[in-house]
Amino acid sequence: MIIEAIRSRRIWDSRGNPTVEVDVTLEGGHVGHGIAPAGASRGTREAMDLRDGGPALRGMGVGRALASVDDVVAPALIGRDASDQAAVDAVLLSLDPSPLKDSLGGNATVAVSMAVLHAVATAAGKPLWLHISDTYGAAPSIPLPEVQIFGGGAHAGRRVDIQDFMIMVPGAGSFDEVLEITNEVYFAAGDIMKRKGKLAGVADEGGWWPAFDNNEEALETLTNAINAAGETPGKNVVISLDVAASEFCVDGRYRLALEDRELDTGEMIDLLGRWIDAYPIVSIEDPLSEADPSGMAEFTRRFGKKLQIIGDDYLVTNASLVREAASQGACNAVLIKVNQAGTISEAIDTFRAATETGYRCVVSARSGETEDVTISHLAAGLGTGQLKVGSFTRSERMAKWNECLRIQDELGAKAFVGGSPLSATWWGDQNMGEKS
Ligand SMILES: O=C(O)[C@@H](CO)OP(=O)(O)O
Ligand SMILES: [Mg+2]
């Protein structure tokens, strides 16, 4: 599986920004494609996208990243064995050893790394999820979705401070059932907002664009929407939040712009604690800032037994940061975003570090996405258990959920993780009983 050619092109993402697509062609003609996604709420320690263009294209051009692929990466990788993903990714790292990959650009490296993975799977005649599970010795499964109902923060003009209001349907018997129930809740939520005169469109990841008076109104409306859809909040449908707190933490103070108030770490933890008591919340991502490790450890000490606490900006898909967090008792789960790491191999290392430390893994899309569905295969092939890609009414999101339905056809409905021992560990009747 020798790499014969590597070619880059500029394409456009779901926010109308340019992004990098790479084709990797193997001797024998098999081709793999990889497309870089792009975040809006970004951790300071994640791989950097290389951008250019000044005022043109709002400074979001990718000319330099394309040049990285064509002028630097291609000459180094052509003639190498693509089937050794670790060796390919090691070459990428050697070409840009900077911690943030800001010389080649994380958008260049991730597109190449993903394209190589796809090319090898195609040449081996395997669906990508199977290639991933075979290569990394993982047991494949269909993940449990976290689907966004309201989008806020940096994805909706900062209309509410909290970024993602999502639901999960952990007890569902199948992936199809999850999507069906979620769909009903999604449209019920839209109807409620319309009746209140607060429907302001759709945010970057497909959730409704919120026009609420305060952050808690979103939680109330979401709980009402679950009821309106004929489901039982806290029983079969539960809430997952991405607070994305780094976005509104300034000098150690949490600024809730919508409510015109500022909280210190203790007050922020207390606020989240009140929400956890009042609403059927089972999972919170980035409850505190990436710059607040003691707050994150304190939050985990208080709520880690009954809550999934995910590090996103806080752990940036970095294996060493996962190990460090585990030693400090901060978080109990990690978000896996391949472009935060910059290569497939580093994302897999993070998955392995999470497995070793007992952290759960949620594979995630970025808020700027395309038709690329690699992450659906990654979640299924590694059997990570959970996947977060946004919501209905945006095709770049539905491409990934729909791909899971296709993978399910190949893998069999029994491979769905809902209702499995994985779920029983953190949303037993015990916890939910108190909340319903
Ligand atoms: O914060 C996140 O988890 C992601 C996806 O919701 O957003 P972004 O890609 O903007 O970082
Ligand atoms: Mg996040």
Side-chain angles (χ1 to χ4, degrees):
M1 298 207 186
I2 300 299
I3 297 174
E4 187 179 79
I6 296 183
R7 171 193 173 150
S8 72
R9 76 175 60 75
R10 181 180 71 173
I11 63 165
W12 302 84
D13 76 10
S14 56
R15 273 195 283 250
N17 291 324
T19 192
V20 178
E21 179 172 51
V22 169
D23 304 345
V24 166
T25 307
L26 304 183
E27 281 179 14
H30 293 291
V31 184
H33 306 278
I35 307 177
S41 65
R42 300 168 47 82
T44 54
R45 292 172 291 192
E46 65 177 87
M48 295 256 301
D49 289 349
L50 202 56
R51 299 281 180 182
D52 49 67
L57 298 172
R58 303 163 303 283
M60 297 298 280
V62 290
R64 285 162 63 211
L66 299 185
S68 295
V69 176
D70 297 337
D71 302 343
V72 185
V73 174
L77 284 183
I78 286 169
R80 286 188 180 259
D81 178 10
S83 66
D84 189 345
Q85 182 81 36
V88 167
D89 290 339
V91 171
L92 293 173
L93 288 187
S94 72
L95 295 171
D96 184 355
S98 66
L100 300 185
K101 300 195 173 56
D102 45 3
S103 122
L104 285 181
N107 45 353
T109 59
V110 78
V112 172
S113 187
M114 282 162 49
V116 167
L117 187 76
H118 277 274
V120 174
T122 306
K126 291 180 185 175
L128 187 62
W129 64 264
L130 180 59
H131 171 57
I132 291 170
S133 96
D134 285 352
T135 306
Y136 299 106
S141 62
I142 305 295
L144 181 68
E146 285 181 70
V147 183
Q148 192 188 57
I149 308 297
F150 301 126
H155 302 166
R158 302 185 195 278
R159 193 55 198 76
V160 297
D161 302 287
I162 308 305
Q163 182 181 283
D164 295 314
F165 295 86
M166 298 168 286
I167 61 163
M168 302 171 87
V169 190
S174 70
F175 191 86
D176 307 65
E177 195 185 328
V178 173
L179 289 191
E180 194 174 311
I181 291 175
T182 306
N183 183 279
E184 304 215 348
V185 174
Y186 176 81
F187 284 105
D191 283 347
I192 293 174
M193 290 179 77
K194 202 167 170 186
R195 280 201 301 277
K196 284 181 162 183
K198 290 182 169 177
L199 193 57
V202 160
D204 281 357
E205 297 192 14
W208 302 111
W209 182 294
F212 295 127
D213 298 332
N214 55 60
N215 290 285
E216 192 164 348
E217 192 185 351
L219 285 167
E220 274 165 25
T221 310
L222 184 49
T223 309
N224 292 340
I226 297 169
N227 277 313
E231 308 300 333
T232 313
K235 198 130 203 239
N236 65 331
V237 180
V238 290
I239 295 177
S240 164
L241 298 180
D242 180 1
V243 175
S246 312
E247 287 289 306
F248 56 86
C249 181
V250 183
D251 297 332
R253 312 261 312 160
Y254 293 88
R255 282 194 189 158
L256 297 175
L258 181 59
E259 299 169 20
D260 196 20
R261 59 180 175 143
E262 237 181 58
L263 307 178
D264 65 20
T265 298
E267 290 165 334
M268 184 70 198
I269 293 176
D270 289 344
L271 174 70
L272 293 172
R274 285 197 293 281
W275 289 354
I276 293 162
D277 285 342
Y279 302 96
I281 298 168
V282 299
S283 178
I284 301 191
E285 181 178 325
D286 285 347
L288 295 155
S289 159
E290 61 173 2
D292 193 352
S294 56
M296 199 67 98
E298 172 62 12
F299 185 81
T300 308
R301 193 188 61 71
R302 274 181 61 182
F303 302 111
K305 289 224 162 45
K306 60 175 178 179
L307 204 67
Q308 172 169 262
I309 302 169
I310 309 170
D312 170 17
D313 291 353
Y314 191 68
L315 298 174
V316 293
T317 316
N318 180 302
S320 322
L321 292 179
V322 169
R323 289 199 188 89
E324 194 182 311
S327 71
Q328 293 163 350
C331 307
N332 56 27
V334 55
L335 208 69
I336 305 278
K337 289 166 162 170
V338 182
N339 82 323
Q340 276 184 330
T343 60
I344 288 286
S345 298
E346 287 163 285
I348 300 281
D349 285 348
T350 308
F351 165 72
R352 287 184 169 146
T355 310
E356 278 162 34
T357 51
Y359 276 38
R360 295 184 199 95
C361 281
V362 182
V363 171
S364 172
R366 300 310 303 249
S367 48
E369 275 289 340
T370 64
E371 63 273 30
D372 189 292
V373 293
T374 308
I375 57 169
S376 306
H377 289 267
L378 195 67
L382 293 176
T384 57
Q386 294 173 69
L387 178 64
K388 165 188 160 183
V389 303
S391 199
F392 295 98
T393 75
R394 291 199 61 134
S395 297
E396 78 282 2
R397 314 285 147 189
M398 294 320 296
K400 291 154 185 75
W401 296 130
N402 289 340
E403 189 71 357
C404 288
L405 290 167
R406 294 182 197 101
I407 297 171
Q408 177 177 255
D409 282 348
E410 293 168 344
L411 202 47
K414 284 208 292 282
F416 174 63
V417 297
S420 72
L422 171 89
S423 57
T425 56
W426 55 286
W427 55 72
D429 286 343
Q430 224 189 329
N431 285 341
M432 289 302 104
E434 290 164 15
K435 293 176 182 179
S436 54

